[in-house]
Amino acid sequence: MISIDPESVPDSTGHFGSYGGMFVPETLMTALQDLDREYRAATADPEFQHELDGLLKNFCGRPTPLYFAEGLTHLLGGAKIYLKREDLLHTGAHKINNAMGQILLARRMGKTRIIAETGAGQHGVATATAAARFGLECVIYMGAVDMERQALNVARMKFLGAKVVSVTAGQATLKEAINEAMRDWVTNVRNTHYILGSALGSHPYPMIVRDFHKVIGEETKRQILQIEGRLPDHLVACVGGGSNAIGFFHAFLGDPSVRLTGVEAGGRGITRGQHAARFQGGKLGVLQGTKTWVLADENGQIELTHSVSAGLDYAAIGPEHSYYRDRERIAYDFATDDEALAAFQTLAKNEGIIPALESAHAIAHVIKIAPSLSRETLLIANLSGRGDKDVQQAAEFLLQAP
Ligand SMILES: *Cc1c(COP(=O)(O)O)cnc(C)c1O
C-alpha cells in the first residue's frame, strides 16, 4: 500500500495528482484567487474556527451520533454495523457543514449576495438557511426537472426567503443549474459569493468543501475509538460530487487498515445514459472547472445521466476521488435504483430510520457485503441525509395503491 499524506493535496494550484485545477473563464480567475486567499487566511484565524464550531454545535446539531445499527446488524448476520448520523443535522443532511463554513467566508469577504446551485434541493435548503441566518440575499438555481422531483425542498427554500430560479436548458438538472449559477457569478462577482455544494468545480472549491466536511470523519474516528477501542475495518459512503464521502474518509486516509468504499449511482444499470457511475462508464475529461472522470461520449460531449436520487445524478466526480482511485486508496462500486430503493425500505423497517435515497446507495452496499464479513468486522456507513424529501417519490415505487 502506498503511504498517503492527505495534508499534501491538493497542491497550491488545486491539483490532486493530475486531476482538479482551474478550468474557468478569465473573468472568474480573480474571484477564485481571492476566495483561495481568504480561505487560507480564515483557516489561520482561530476566531473563524471558533465561530464556525459554535454554529455547527448550536445551530446545526454537531457532533452527530455514531449509532450502532443493531437491527440491521442482526438482520444481515455478519459485520457489526454503525451509522454516522448526518441525517440528524439541521436541514436534514451533511450539506449544512459546508454552507455554514462558506457563509462565514462570504461575510469575511464583505459579500452581500449569495448564489448556489442545487440538485436534490438539499444544498439549496442548506444555503438558504445559512443566508437567512445572516440576513443575506439568496438566489438558488435549480433544474426544472429537479424542482418537480423535489417540490418540498423548493417550498422550504422559498419560506427561508430565497429566490428559486428554474433552469430549463438541456436535461434541466444539476449540470444546467451549475452553468446558470456560474453565469450569474461572472456577472455579479463584485458583491456575490457562489456557495458551491459539493467537492467539485474549479480550485479552491474541492479543497474548501472537503475541509468543511472533514469534521464528519474526525468525529467518527473519535467516537469509534471511544465505543470500540479501535479503528473501524471498513467505511462506506455514497458519492455524487463526493463531499460527504471525502469528508467522512479524510481522517482515515492515512490508516491503511481501514478500507474505504465509495458507492456511485448505478441507475437502471451500467448502460449509456442510464446511470451516473463515472468510474463504470466514464473517462478523463473537463467539466465545469475541473479535470476528472466524467461520463462523456467519443467526442467528449457530456452524456445524459440517470439516478433515482437527484443528489447523485451528475456527470462528473470530484477530482480528489479520481486521485485516490488511481492510488487504490479508495475503492468504488455502484448500487442501482432498485437496490437503493430496497435499502431505503430495509433501513426504515429494521432500524426505524428513513434514509435519503442518496444515502440508501451506501446502505445497499452494506447490505451486499455485511453478510459475508465476520462478526468482529466494524463497518461504518455514512448516513448523509434523511429521507423526508424522498418519501413521495419512494412511495410511487414501493407502496401498492389501495
Ligand atoms: C447532495 C447529497 C449527496 C451527494 O452529494 P455528495 O457531495 O456526493 O455528498 C448525498 N447525500 C445526500 C443526503 C445529499 O443531500
Side-chain angles (χ1 to χ4, degrees):
M1 162 94 44
I2 309 153
S3 74
I4 296 282
D5 176 11
E7 301 311 320
S8 69
V9 288
D11 67 14
S12 60
T13 52
H15 289 91
F16 301 85
S18 59
Y19 302 102
M22 304 175 85
F23 294 84
V24 294
E26 199 54 40
T27 38
L28 284 182
M29 227 33 186
T30 314
L32 289 164
Q33 283 160 353
D34 287 351
L35 178 59
D36 189 29
R37 194 174 332 103
E38 196 63 42
Y39 175 67
R40 287 175 201 278
T43 50
D45 176 358
E47 194 46 46
F48 179 85
Q49 197 56 49
H50 181 72
E51 187 177 9
L52 180 56
D53 287 348
L55 284 163
L56 290 177
K57 177 165 181 261
N58 299 312
F59 185 67
C60 302
R62 299 215 74 91
T64 60
L66 182 67
Y67 174 70
F68 171 45
E70 201 175 348
L72 194 61
T73 298
H74 181 74
L75 176 78
L76 299 175
K80 188 168 185 185
I81 301 162
Y82 283 86
L83 302 175
K84 180 59 172 164
R85 299 292 307 275
E86 294 295 293
D87 62 311
L88 292 178
L89 284 174
H90 182 41
T91 70
H94 69 290
K95 298 240 166 52
I96 194 81
N97 300 323
N98 170 52
M100 284 331 273
Q102 285 203 46
I103 205 97
L104 292 188
L105 279 181
R107 271 160 46 94
R108 275 180 78 98
M109 292 185 289
K111 309 277 175 158
T112 56
R113 182 171 175 270
I114 299 297
I115 59 168
E117 85 296 339
T118 196
Q122 287 302 111
H123 177 55
V125 168
T127 299
T129 298
R133 168 68 181 71
F134 289 103
L136 301 177
E137 183 190 346
C138 182
V139 178
I140 305 292
Y141 291 92
M142 188 168 187
V145 169
D146 288 337
M147 282 181 76
E148 202 172 308
R149 289 198 275 197
Q150 305 289 345
L152 177 69
N153 274 343
V154 174
R156 290 167 83 195
M157 287 182 261
K158 289 180 177 168
F159 282 127
L160 291 160
K163 183 176 162 202
V164 184
V165 179
S166 167
V167 179
T168 53
Q171 212 180 336
T173 59
L174 182 59
K175 176 163 65 74
E176 292 79 16
I178 295 177
N179 283 340
E180 282 310 308
M182 299 262 271
R183 212 161 290 160
D184 179 317
W185 204 30
V186 170
T187 314
N188 301 300
V189 68
R190 210 168 279 154
N191 72 341
T192 299
H193 176 60
Y194 177 13
I195 300 191
L196 205 134
S198 188
L200 270 171
S202 167
H203 178 68
Y205 282 109
M207 172 183 75
I208 291 178
V209 176
R210 172 201 69 199
D211 287 353
F212 286 140
H213 285 303
K214 277 194 320 200
V215 63
I216 306 172
E218 287 163 0
E219 281 177 11
T220 301
K221 197 171 200 175
R222 237 184 3 254
Q223 290 166 319
I224 197 73
L225 287 173
Q226 195 171 25
I227 300 167
E228 293 282 353
R230 68 175 180 95
L231 287 174
D233 298 293
H234 197 157
L235 303 186
V236 178
C238 66
V239 186
S243 69
N244 88 88
I246 202 67
F248 184 47
F249 294 159
H250 198 268
F252 297 91
L253 285 167
D255 299 312
S257 69
V258 183
R259 285 186 65 177
L260 307 172
T261 302
V263 184
E264 296 183 277
R268 300 188 189 99
I270 307 303
T271 36
R272 210 179 245 208
Q274 298 298 317
H275 68 99
R278 290 67 42 110
F279 289 144
Q280 300 301 323
K283 53 167 66 116
L284 186 60
V286 171
L287 181 62
Q288 294 175 326
T290 194
K291 187 181 193 185
T292 186
W293 278 68
V294 300
L295 290 168
D297 66 18
E298 305 74 35
N299 303 317
Q301 286 293 106
I302 298 302
E303 286 180 340
L304 298 185
T305 52
H306 164 80
S307 170
V308 69
S309 64
L312 303 183
D313 198 352
Y314 183 65
I317 191 166
E320 190 164 5
H321 287 281
S322 293
Y323 172 72
Y324 285 119
R325 177 184 186 253
D326 280 3
R327 302 195 68 177
E328 298 183 358
R329 179 63 192 97
I330 306 178
Y332 295 85
D333 206 328
F334 64 92
T336 63
D337 287 355
D338 287 347
E339 288 166 342
L341 284 161
F344 177 96
Q345 176 68 84
T346 299
L347 195 71
K349 252 192 193 146
N350 293 279
E351 214 55 71
I353 299 171
I354 299 179
L357 280 173
E358 290 84 5
S359 321
H361 286 70
I363 302 301
H365 191 75
V366 165
I367 291 171
K368 273 182 224 169
I369 64 170
S372 60
L373 297 170
S374 79
R375 280 162 205 262
E376 287 72 49
T377 305
L378 299 179
L379 177 57
I380 311 180
N382 193 31
L383 205 64
S384 52
R386 69 179 84 127
D388 308 31
K389 69 185 174 62
D390 298 317
V391 162
Q392 200 177 354
Q393 202 195 353
E396 284 167 26
F397 288 99
L398 297 172
L399 300 182
Q400 308 281 32

